Amino acid sequence: MDELGVGLIGTGFMGRAHALAFRSVGAVFELPVRLRLTALADADGQRAAHCARAWGFAQAYSDWRQLIDDPQVGLVAITTPNHLHFPMAMAALAAGKAVYCEKPLAVTSEQARQMHQAAQAAGVVTRVGYNYQHNPLIVLARELIGNGELGQLVSFQGEFSEDFMADPDSPWTWRCDPQQAGGALADLGSHLLAMARFLMGPVVAVCADTHTVHQERPVRAGAPERRAIAVDDQAHALLRFANGARGSVGSSWIKHGYKNHLAFEISGTLGTLAFDQERLNELRLYRAGQPGFQRLLAGPALPGYAAFSPAPGHQLGYNELKTLEVQELLMAICGQGRDGTDFQEAWEVERLAAAIRLAAREQRWVTL
Amino acid sequence: MDELGVGLIGTGFMGRAHALAFRSVGAVFELPVRLRLTALADADGQRAAHCARAWGFAQAYSDWRQLIDDPQVGLVAITTPNHLHFPMAMAALAAGKAVYCEKPLAVTSEQARQMHQAAQAAGVVTRVGYNYQHNPLIVLARELIGNGELGQLVSFQGEFSEDFMADPDSPWTWRCDPQQAGGALADLGSHLLAMARFLMGPVVAVCADTHTVHQERPVRAGAPERRAIAVDDQAHALLRFANGARGSVGSSWIKHGYKNHLAFEISGTLGTLAFDQERLNELRLYRAGQPGFQRLLAGPALPGYAAFSPAPGHQLGYNELKTLEVQELLMAICGQGRDGTDFQEAWEVERLAAAIRLAAREQRWVTL
Amino acid sequence: MDELGVGLIGTGFMGRAHALAFRSVGAVFELPVRLRLTALADADGQRAAHCARAWGFAQAYSDWRQLIDDPQVGLVAITTPNHLHFPMAMAALAAGKAVYCEKPLAVTSEQARQMHQAAQAAGVVTRVGYNYQHNPLIVLARELIGNGELGQLVSFQGEFSEDFMADPDSPWTWRCDPQQAGGALADLGSHLLAMARFLMGPVVAVCADTHTVHQERPVRAGAPERRAIAVDDQAHALLRFANGARGSVGSSWIKHGYKNHLAFEISGTLGTLAFDQERLNELRLYRAGQPGFQRLLAGPALPGYAAFSPAPGHQLGYNELKTLEVQELLMAICGQGRDGTDFQEAWEVERLAAAIRLAAREQRWVTL
Amino acid sequence: MDELGVGLIGTGFMGRAHALAFRSVGAVFELPVRLRLTALADADGQRAAHCARAWGFAQAYSDWRQLIDDPQVGLVAITTPNHLHFPMAMAALAAGKAVYCEKPLAVTSEQARQMHQAAQAAGVVTRVGYNYQHNPLIVLARELIGNGELGQLVSFQGEFSEDFMADPDSPWTWRCDPQQAGGALADLGSHLLAMARFLMGPVVAVCADTHTVHQERPVRAGAPERRAIAVDDQAHALLRFANGARGSVGSSWIKHGYKNHLAFEISGTLGTLAFDQERLNELRLYRAGQPGFQRLLAGPALPGYAAFSPAPGHQLGYNELKTLEVQELLMAICGQGRDGTDFQEAWEVERLAAAIRLAAREQRWVTL
């Protein structure tokens, strides 16, 4: 393939993050394909046009179906609210296009399963935006684990906490709607579950507890009327992994003081590693026999970092994780990818989240 | 009471820690009673005599019953292996003496219940060595919570991890014997459960998972023969508190890199606090609306600290937590104590640990 | 101005960093001008052509004079080795173009003075690449200071240490050449001095000590021949500021363990702030009367951050500081800039560095 | 020697710290001598009697000369305000007693010199209370340096900052009196200079700047009258060491946010170590070739720690550094000490402080 036309749907936080990544990736990495920013779609046509101009897309659409039908578009990137992932991805797959979809893949695991099957049938490359996995330090962590440097894995303790819903007057949004995969577990926890699977492998059993602390919220910012909330503000679960390790995960969007606290520790018979997304350029590593934890700073010895900077300690930002994600996606489209989080893997993440919800609802262990 | 005679049983790690605390407490604090170091007992009479001389005890016994019978002894401190706590404490209570017992109170919760009832019947002061609670920063944490400064409590995430059994060749000891309250949950986890109750109040339901990673160990250091191990190397549990908060706890003695990692975070609707015993002189505190976590260093504004140093940031050590514990105990004996961890509370901790074990064994939620 | 054509000279570490910034800035910020990536120059014509294609520049030149002469180029960005800054910037100024030059401005303070005067005569916008100043947390720090929130400033302690020359077998490069503004003080220290001036204002007196630890290095990587080194591996200085504050600075490229340790503390009569570039998304702040330092995480409340992410704690990377720098430059070109580091200010930094060198050479205090 | 009688002068912060150390040392360590707490002196006879009772001293004196004359007293510990160190120590030396004096040794370096000479003439053991040097991690640091594990030493950057005088209304005390060795450099800085010499060896040249920020203070707490202050609130200096290393030191008692921030970094050609007294149980260590700094927690593998606790990570407190200091002193008295900070070394520290003062006053480099 010489050239790949990108069609991006959505112009919010994630839409812009995708646009930045697509704009940067060719200047950061030597790519096996030339990218064209073909089209941008937003239901608000004026916004679509404005953003297309600012972000360098050749064409703007107010109807995402037109974008998918555009023959110049070879890759469809989906950054809309969760409940739209399903129809958009299914249409793109039906059109035989590669799909890059934000997480969570879908609002039910049944939808996710159908998307996975459609992707398999279509035989195209798919990827889901679990961008934290593309951090060079996380790739290093996976290599260390894969090489046995932690020994036999024993435990995983993880948490993804933020506080953007901690104020009881934070209003209802679609993230509070269970029909749209709302709640702390779906919104934040799915990143953590994906990370757990990425580093530890499959989970075979879960027990869990979910909790709606603020049971109603203003219908919108500042409004006096309040609306009942059915989704979890926080969730806790115990996990058993197929490799025999045990662990726990927590997810909260009401934990004061935390802004992007995707943190975990993995321990094995030969060592421990610890990570916190709030310091995404650091990994703490302990090897049996050493006097203490080492703090590793990201640097050019790690996979992917050197393309951004030849100097260690200069730090990558959140948006650059997206650039790394896009690079891996493009390599995969050109047949050179390593194993990324495709629709199958994202479906497995949704299955795991569904099992946690079931375990919480029925207050019992659930096996997968 | 003018004078109180102390009888200390045991000369190990905890025996010495008690001795240091009894020697220091009168020089640190203005006490309502004069202490006398009356007697020290150890089954090894020579060691008893040697330590009595070095530590300043007037009398040495090789039979702990003699110590309890000594009419000069008004307070019996018990620092022997766990399975001896029951007979020693019961004898001391029967003799009408105040009892200061190391944790865990007993090797079964039934024993603990009997000890609690005997203490009530005897009407004497009892205390159990959950010394971490006496850290001035922990007392501050409890005050902040009690004053509502965190709002309604929402979550507790805690962990007590060390790595002294991480090496699979660390030999069997009595700590590996379930008959002696062995295992990571009993040995380390009980500190964490006591702390959870101290700060959060009662737990009403638990679900748990325990795990023996190293299923046999050398019968003693360097021995080729190995012995099967039945106790947990690590345990994870979900908790529901009576106040509605939810949370998780973990306990491990095989988590590489950690030496005294009794760490927890408590979150409420108005803030979050975080603590790690590996930095026992620091508390991290976040209040809603603030731009970030504050790191509080222990200082003389906190209850108990000023007696050790008039200057902030000069740091207390582990042994000084024992001095604080002994001071509270002596105040209680003189009728001036605040609510300490007595046999009743320690029995509640054992009940909670037993519920966790049951939940793990039967893989189901257990209510208390 | 509707459109601005960018001409970039150099394709190394900084060349790419500039390219990334120019590519991203329009998608991150609403700009008052449309950017065109007009031309890229590198003495190696093939590399120029390759990078122009990959980075999206319309034209490639092997002769930088052609780039400056290109009538489409309105802004000349210079990222070549230090000794070329002077002829390139002087030519660009003579052609009436805005100039964005990497630091240090020149290899002598006399050259810097001439460049400053030429810029004044030309009446164009100039900026120098002291990108660390554009960190939203640094802009916040400056605002806090300006608003008097630290009270009267009392002290500045700063350091910029890395270890990329710590190995005595790290070979000679142009950075070891005093004719090219080599040495730790020029290479790293100038960032620190610029930061000190940015936050504290002018320095009126210095005393200093410079030190060449490794007095010869291989002529190139792996070569057996060694070459004498005349520049400093580390430098220390005392500073007196015009506002009465005192302080010290250190600079080293042989301090093991540090990768990008541009760190400083500023203290006033009402508080202290502390920063370390190795954690560029954090600022520690203490206000008189508070119980401890607060750790602020960068977030959308800070100037500039929200354009990259609406969510706090998501972290900016090193390259994004360049995007912020370019945005400020473009605003200035459109007459909307705040006070940036222009050639005048960069000349002042060079004067300060020269005074430090003089003070070290003559082992005496030097006044400015 | 079978028994050593201790006479302690002073009952303030340091008096109590000494008392605690003397009471604990025999229970912590196997000592080569039996200690007796013979006498306690305080000019306030009632306080002397009260403290003697509480701290276990057999005798109380209101006249320190009586204590020195007491034939049972073999060791005189001096914890009074600085200007009394000279007459007390000289009298004790004249009486042939071992002397343990708090820092600074004297209020002028001339006095310090006389004290050193008197000690040499008397041939007794002397020690000065630079207790931070007895931290097992500092002893480890010295061993690492001595064994060449950092290579050739290159730099020392150190600071001792607190904020107890940061409030301009903190009243005048004797610490503000230059006749009593007042000022931040004498009070805090001398600890840092002693540490620099302990780890780095002699200093051969200094350049310095001292600064009185608050030039008058209330004559006493709350008083409206104010009194002029002549001593430094902060001091900065450059150092050249005999071993060729360079560095800087700072000292401040007005640096907001710091409570006991005796912090330093030592770098050599093979590594770097970093320490901060506010986390006295941690040492950060980087070795060339490693991926990052290691955080060492104090533990029983270190010299001295195991006597306090067999378990790593359990942490020593400030007062226990005094216990370690007293143990080393007692070993020295029994002829088994390692090289401690005696009157000769303390005089060298005073000479160094005096050279810094001279360099600041005359604004020039001073050689020693």
Side-chain angles (χ1 to χ4, degrees):
Chain A
M1 192 185 313
D2 271 3
E3 202 171 77
L4 178 68
V6 178
L8 170 62
I9 313 178
T11 63
F13 174 13
M14 277 300 114
R16 172 153 29 189
H18 280 227
L20 285 169
F22 284 118
R23 285 176 70 85
S24 296
V25 64
V28 175
F29 293 100
E30 295 286 332
L31 295 179
V33 64
R34 191 185 347 264
L35 275 193
R36 288 185 51 193
L37 305 190
T38 303
L40 180 66
D42 192 287
D44 173 343
Q46 258 188 315
R47 178 158 175 82
H50 175 82
C51 291
R53 209 161 36 241
W55 303 353
F57 283 81
Q59 175 77 37
Y61 293 111
S62 59
D63 179 350
W64 57 265
R65 291 174 199 277
Q66 288 182 294
L67 179 142
I68 287 173
D69 290 344
D70 186 330
Q72 310 259 28
V73 168
L75 165 65
V76 176
I78 303 171
T79 69
T80 52
N82 298 344
H83 72 289
L84 295 171
H85 295 178
F86 179 75
M88 290 171 173
M90 292 301 273
L93 292 171
K97 315 248 161 142
V99 185
Y100 172 33
C101 184
E102 267 312 304
K103 49 65 53 182
L105 182 54
V107 297
T108 66
S109 64
E110 171 53 22
Q111 278 188 350
R113 193 190 56 76
Q114 290 179 41
M115 292 162 83
H116 149 49
Q117 288 188 333
Q120 275 199 315
V124 296
V125 168
T126 57
R127 285 293 184 270
V128 181
Y130 286 109
N131 53 306
Y132 298 120
Q133 297 170 11
H134 296 278
N135 184 332
L137 285 166
I138 297 298
V139 177
L140 172 69
R142 199 185 197 207
E143 286 176 9
L144 292 171
I145 289 170
N147 296 342
E149 300 200 34
L150 297 188
Q152 173 201 337
L153 296 183
V154 166
S155 66
F156 178 93
Q157 285 98 17
E159 166 177 6
F160 195 170
S161 296
E162 299 195 356
D163 65 4
F164 65 96
M165 296 295 277
D167 183 344
D169 290 331
S170 284
W172 186 93
T173 70
W174 62 263
R175 288 174 204 274
C176 299
D177 181 357
Q179 305 310 317
Q180 296 192 49
L185 176 63
D187 193 50
L188 300 177
S190 64
H191 271 299
L192 179 62
L193 298 176
M195 186 67 83
R197 285 182 51 88
F198 185 67
L199 295 172
M200 300 287 294
V203 173
V204 294
V206 298
C207 184
D209 204 17
T210 56
H211 190 196
T212 306
V213 172
H214 300 300
Q215 302 194 350
E216 51 177 37
R217 293 181 179 274
V219 295
R220 65 190 162 277
E225 317 97 275
R226 300 179 84 83
R227 178 170 172 170
I229 303 288
V231 299
D232 57 299
D233 285 323
Q234 61 176 348
H236 294 89
L238 303 181
L239 307 183
R240 293 189 154 198
F241 291 89
N243 64 14
R246 311 293 173 86
S248 63
V249 290
S251 180
S252 174
W253 61 22
I254 60 163
K255 192 165 172 189
H256 277 297
Y258 290 103
K259 309 304 176 187
N260 195 20
H261 186 48
L262 170 55
F264 59 83
E265 296 193 336
I266 293 174
S267 193
T269 52
L270 293 178
T272 296
L273 60 79
F275 176 80
D276 181 353
Q277 180 70 20
E278 288 191 359
R279 286 179 173 162
L280 74 87
N281 289 279
E282 301 182 20
L283 183 72
R284 294 193 313 119
L285 179 62
Y286 180 88
R287 294 171 190 273
Q290 281 191 347
F293 271 92
Q294 280 191 328
R295 178 181 82 128
L296 278 68
L297 284 181
L302 297 182
Y305 178 101
F308 293 92
S309 169
H314 278 56
Q315 295 172 66
L316 302 183
Y318 172 85
N319 287 320
E320 291 170 320
L321 303 184
K322 277 285 173 206
T323 305
L324 284 155
E325 185 168 79
V326 163
Q327 185 238 7
E328 193 276 331
L329 159 66
L330 297 176
M331 298 300 281
I333 288 174
C334 296
Q336 302 168 35
R338 57 177 173 74
D339 52 329
T341 297
D342 59 12
F343 279 19
Q344 176 165 7
E345 173 59 18
W347 165 61
E348 295 279 6
V349 173
E350 296 309 316
R351 277 183 67 215
L352 176 54
I356 288 175
R357 263 183 223 101
L358 177 62
R361 198 164 53 241
E362 302 192 350
Q363 291 281 294
R364 65 171 176 89
W365 282 87
V366 169
T367 55
L368 285 109
Chain B
M1 191 185 313
D2 270 5
E3 202 170 79
L4 177 69
V6 177
L8 170 62
I9 312 178
T11 63
F13 174 14
M14 277 301 113
R16 176 168 8 203
H18 280 228
L20 284 169
F22 283 118
R23 286 177 69 86
S24 297
V25 65
V28 175
F29 294 99
E30 296 287 333
L31 295 179
V33 65
R34 193 187 343 265
L35 275 193
R36 287 186 51 195
L37 305 189
T38 302
L40 180 67
D42 192 288
D44 174 342
Q46 258 189 313
R47 177 158 176 83
H50 174 82
C51 291
R53 208 160 38 239
W55 301 353
F57 284 81
Q59 175 76 38
Y61 294 110
S62 59
D63 180 350
W64 57 266
R65 291 173 199 279
Q66 288 182 294
L67 179 144
I68 287 173
D69 290 343
D70 185 331
Q72 310 259 29
V73 168
L75 165 65
V76 176
I78 303 172
T79 69
T80 52
N82 298 345
H83 72 288
L84 295 171
H85 295 179
F86 179 74
M88 289 171 173
M90 293 301 273
L93 292 171
K97 315 248 160 141
V99 185
Y100 172 32
C101 184
E102 268 310 304
K103 49 65 54 183
L105 182 54
V107 296
T108 66
S109 64
E110 171 52 22
Q111 278 187 351
R113 192 189 57 76
Q114 290 179 41
M115 292 162 81
H116 149 49
Q117 289 189 332
Q120 276 199 314
V124 296
V125 168
T126 57
R127 285 295 183 269
V128 181
Y130 287 109
N131 53 306
Y132 298 120
Q133 297 170 10
H134 297 277
N135 184 333
L137 285 167
I138 297 298
V139 177
L140 171 69
R142 200 185 196 204
E143 285 176 8
L144 292 171
I145 290 169
N147 296 342
E149 301 200 33
L150 296 188
Q152 172 202 336
L153 296 183
V154 165
S155 68
F156 178 94
Q157 285 97 17
E159 166 178 8
F160 196 169
S161 296
E162 299 196 355
D163 65 2
F164 64 97
M165 297 295 277
D167 183 345
D169 291 332
S170 285
W172 186 94
T173 70
W174 63 262
R175 288 175 203 273
C176 299
D177 181 357
Q179 306 309 317
Q180 297 193 46
L185 176 64
D187 193 50
L188 300 177
S190 64
H191 271 298
L192 179 62
L193 298 176
M195 185 66 84
R197 284 183 51 89
F198 185 69
L199 295 172
M200 300 287 294
V203 172
V204 294
V206 297
C207 184
D209 204 17
T210 55
H211 190 197
T212 306
V213 172
H214 300 299
Q215 302 194 349
E216 51 178 37
R217 292 181 180 275
V219 294
R220 64 190 161 278
E225 315 96 275
R226 300 179 85 85
R227 178 168 172 172
I229 303 287
V231 298
D232 58 299
D233 285 322
Q234 62 176 347
H236 294 89
L238 303 180
L239 307 183
R240 292 188 154 198
F241 291 90
N243 63 14
R246 312 293 173 87
S248 64
V249 289
S251 180
S252 173
W253 61 20
I254 60 164
K255 192 165 171 189
H256 277 295
Y258 290 103
K259 308 304 176 186
N260 195 18
H261 186 48
L262 170 55
F264 58 84
E265 296 193 335
I266 293 173
S267 194
T269 52
L270 294 177
T272 296
L273 60 79
F275 177 80
D276 180 352
Q277 180 68 21
E278 288 191 359
R279 286 179 171 162
L280 73 87
N281 289 280
E282 303 183 18
L283 184 72
R284 294 193 314 120
L285 179 63
Y286 181 89
R287 294 171 190 273
Q290 280 190 346
F293 271 92
Q294 280 191 327
R295 180 181 80 128
L296 279 67
L297 283 182
L302 298 181
Y305 179 100
F308 294 92
S309 169
H314 278 56
Q315 295 172 65
L316 302 183
Y318 172 87
N319 287 319
E320 291 170 320
L321 302 184
K322 278 285 171 204
T323 305
L324 283 155
E325 184 168 80
V326 163
Q327 186 238 6
E328 193 277 330
L329 159 67
L330 297 176
M331 297 300 281
I333 288 174
C334 296
Q336 302 169 34
R338 58 177 172 74
D339 53 330
T341 296
D342 59 12
F343 279 18
Q344 176 165 7
E345 173 59 16
W347 165 62
E348 295 279 8
V349 172
E350 296 309 316
R351 276 184 67 216
L352 176 52
I356 289 175
R357 261 183 227 102
L358 177 62
R361 198 165 51 242
E362 302 193 349
Q363 292 282 294
R364 63 172 177 87
W365 282 87
V366 169
T367 56
L368 284 109
Chain C
M1 190 186 313
D2 270 5
E3 201 170 80
L4 178 68
V6 177
L8 170 61
I9 313 178
T11 62
F13 174 15
M14 278 299 114
R16 175 163 14 198
H18 279 228
L20 286 170
F22 284 118
R23 286 177 69 86
S24 297
V25 65
V28 174
F29 294 100
E30 294 288 331
L31 295 179
V33 64
R34 192 187 345 267
L35 275 194
R36 288 187 50 194
L37 305 189
T38 302
L40 179 67
D42 192 288
D44 174 344
Q46 258 188 313
R47 176 157 177 83
H50 175 81
C51 291
R53 209 162 35 240
W55 303 352
F57 283 81
Q59 175 78 37
Y61 294 111
S62 59
D63 180 348
W64 57 266
R65 291 175 201 275
Q66 288 182 296
L67 179 145
I68 288 173
D69 291 342
D70 186 331
Q72 310 259 27
V73 167
L75 165 65
V76 176
I78 302 171
T79 68
T80 52
N82 298 344
H83 72 288
L84 296 170
H85 295 179
F86 179 76
M88 289 172 173
M90 292 300 274
L93 292 170
K97 315 250 160 139
V99 185
Y100 172 32
C101 184
E102 268 310 304
K103 49 66 57 181
L105 182 54
V107 298
T108 66
S109 63
E110 172 52 23
Q111 277 188 352
R113 193 190 55 76
Q114 290 179 40
M115 291 162 82
H116 149 51
Q117 288 189 332
Q120 276 199 314
V124 296
V125 168
T126 56
R127 286 294 184 269
V128 182
Y130 287 109
N131 53 305
Y132 298 121
Q133 297 170 10
H134 297 277
N135 185 332
L137 286 166
I138 297 297
V139 176
L140 172 68
R142 200 183 196 207
E143 286 177 7
L144 292 171
I145 289 169
N147 296 342
E149 301 200 34
L150 297 188
Q152 172 202 337
L153 296 183
V154 165
S155 67
F156 177 93
Q157 286 97 16
E159 167 178 6
F160 196 170
S161 296
E162 299 195 355
D163 65 3
F164 65 97
M165 296 295 277
D167 183 345
D169 290 331
S170 285
W172 186 94
T173 70
W174 63 264
R175 289 173 202 274
C176 299
D177 181 357
Q179 306 309 317
Q180 297 192 46
L185 176 63
D187 193 51
L188 300 177
S190 65
H191 271 298
L192 179 61
L193 297 176
M195 186 67 83
R197 284 182 52 88
F198 185 68
L199 296 172
M200 300 286 294
V203 172
V204 294
V206 298
C207 184
D209 204 18
T210 55
H211 190 197
T212 307
V213 172
H214 300 299
Q215 304 195 347
E216 50 176 39
R217 293 181 179 274
V219 294
R220 62 189 165 279
E225 316 96 276
R226 301 179 84 83
R227 178 170 172 171
I229 303 288
V231 299
D232 58 298
D233 285 322
Q234 61 176 346
H236 294 90
L238 303 181
L239 307 183
R240 292 187 155 200
F241 292 89
N243 62 15
R246 311 294 173 85
S248 64
V249 290
S251 179
S252 174
W253 60 22
I254 60 164
K255 192 165 172 189
H256 277 295
Y258 291 103
K259 308 304 175 187
N260 195 19
H261 185 51
L262 170 55
F264 58 83
E265 296 193 336
I266 293 173
S267 193
T269 53
L270 294 178
T272 296
L273 60 79
F275 176 80
D276 181 352
Q277 179 70 21
E278 287 191 358
R279 286 178 172 162
L280 74 88
N281 289 280
E282 303 182 18
L283 183 72
R284 294 193 314 118
L285 179 62
Y286 181 88
R287 294 171 190 274
Q290 279 189 348
F293 272 93
Q294 279 190 329
R295 179 181 82 128
L296 278 68
L297 283 182
L302 299 180
Y305 179 101
F308 293 93
S309 169
H314 278 56
Q315 295 172 68
L316 302 183
Y318 172 87
N319 287 319
E320 291 169 321
L321 303 184
K322 277 286 171 205
T323 305
L324 285 155
E325 185 168 78
V326 163
Q327 186 239 6
E328 193 277 331
L329 160 66
L330 298 176
M331 297 300 280
I333 288 174
C334 297
Q336 302 169 35
R338 58 175 171 76
D339 53 330
T341 297
D342 59 12
F343 279 19
Q344 176 164 6
E345 172 59 17
W347 165 60
E348 295 280 8
V349 173
E350 296 309 315
R351 276 184 68 216
L352 176 53
I356 289 175
R357 262 183 224 102
L358 177 62
R361 199 164 52 242
E362 301 191 350
Q363 291 281 296
R364 64 172 176 88
W365 282 88
V366 169
T367 55
L368 285 109
Chain D
M1 191 187 312
D2 271 5
E3 203 170 77
L4 178 69
V6 177
L8 170 62
I9 313 178
T11 63
F13 173 14
M14 277 300 114
R16 170 154 29 190
H18 280 228
L20 285 169
F22 283 119
R23 286 177 68 86
S24 296
V25 65
V28 174
F29 293 100
E30 295 287 332
L31 296 178
V33 64
R34 193 185 344 265
L35 276 193
R36 289 186 50 192
L37 305 189
T38 302
L40 180 67
D42 193 288
D44 174 343
Q46 258 188 314
R47 176 157 178 83
H50 174 81
C51 290
R53 208 161 38 240
W55 303 353
F57 284 81
Q59 175 77 36
Y61 294 110
S62 59
D63 180 349
W64 57 267
R65 290 174 201 278
Q66 288 182 296
L67 179 143
I68 287 173
D69 290 343
D70 186 330
Q72 309 259 29
V73 167
L75 166 65
V76 176
I78 302 171
T79 68
T80 52
N82 298 344
H83 71 289
L84 295 170
H85 295 179
F86 180 75
M88 289 172 173
M90 293 301 273
L93 292 170
K97 314 249 160 142
V99 185
Y100 172 34
C101 184
E102 266 311 303
K103 50 65 53 183
L105 182 54
V107 297
T108 66
S109 64
E110 172 53 23
Q111 278 188 352
R113 193 190 56 77
Q114 290 180 40
M115 291 163 82
H116 148 50
Q117 289 189 332
Q120 276 199 315
V124 297
V125 169
T126 57
R127 286 294 184 269
V128 182
Y130 287 110
N131 53 306
Y132 298 120
Q133 297 169 11
H134 297 277
N135 184 332
L137 285 166
I138 298 297
V139 177
L140 172 69
R142 200 185 197 206
E143 286 176 8
L144 292 171
I145 289 169
N147 296 342
E149 300 200 33
L150 297 188
Q152 173 201 336
L153 296 183
V154 165
S155 68
F156 177 93
Q157 286 98 16
E159 165 177 7
F160 196 171
S161 296
E162 299 195 355
D163 65 4
F164 65 97
M165 296 295 277
D167 183 346
D169 290 331
S170 285
W172 187 94
T173 70
W174 61 263
R175 288 174 203 272
C176 299
D177 181 357
Q179 306 307 318
Q180 297 192 47
L185 176 63
D187 193 50
L188 300 177
S190 65
H191 271 297
L192 179 61
L193 298 176
M195 185 67 84
R197 284 182 52 88
F198 186 68
L199 295 172
M200 299 288 293
V203 172
V204 294
V206 298
C207 185
D209 204 16
T210 55
H211 190 197
T212 306
V213 171
H214 300 298
Q215 303 194 349
E216 51 177 39
R217 293 181 180 274
V219 294
R220 64 190 162 279
E225 317 96 277
R226 300 179 84 83
R227 178 169 173 171
I229 303 289
V231 299
D232 57 299
D233 286 323
Q234 62 176 346
H236 294 89
L238 303 180
L239 306 184
R240 291 188 156 199
F241 292 89
N243 63 15
R246 311 294 172 85
S248 65
V249 290
S251 180
S252 174
W253 61 21
I254 60 163
K255 192 165 173 189
H256 278 295
Y258 291 102
K259 308 305 175 185
N260 195 19
H261 186 50
L262 170 55
F264 58 83
E265 296 193 335
I266 293 174
S267 193
T269 52
L270 294 178
T272 295
L273 59 79
F275 176 80
D276 180 353
Q277 180 69 22
E278 288 191 358
R279 286 178 173 163
L280 74 87
N281 289 280
E282 301 182 19
L283 184 71
R284 293 192 314 120
L285 179 63
Y286 181 87
R287 294 170 190 272
Q290 280 190 346
F293 271 92
Q294 279 190 329
R295 180 180 81 127
L296 279 66
L297 284 181
L302 299 180
Y305 179 100
F308 293 93
S309 169
H314 278 56
Q315 294 171 67
L316 302 183
Y318 171 87
N319 287 320
E320 291 169 320
L321 303 184
K322 277 287 173 204
T323 305
L324 284 156
E325 185 168 79
V326 163
Q327 185 238 7
E328 193 276 332
L329 160 67
L330 298 176
M331 297 301 281
I333 288 174
C334 295
Q336 302 168 34
R338 57 177 172 73
D339 53 329
T341 296
D342 59 12
F343 279 19
Q344 176 164 7
E345 173 58 18
W347 164 61
E348 296 279 8
V349 172
E350 296 310 316
R351 278 182 68 215
L352 176 53
I356 289 175
R357 262 184 225 100
L358 177 62
R361 197 163 54 241
E362 303 192 348
Q363 292 281 295
R364 64 172 176 87
W365 282 88
V366 169
T367 55
L368 286 109

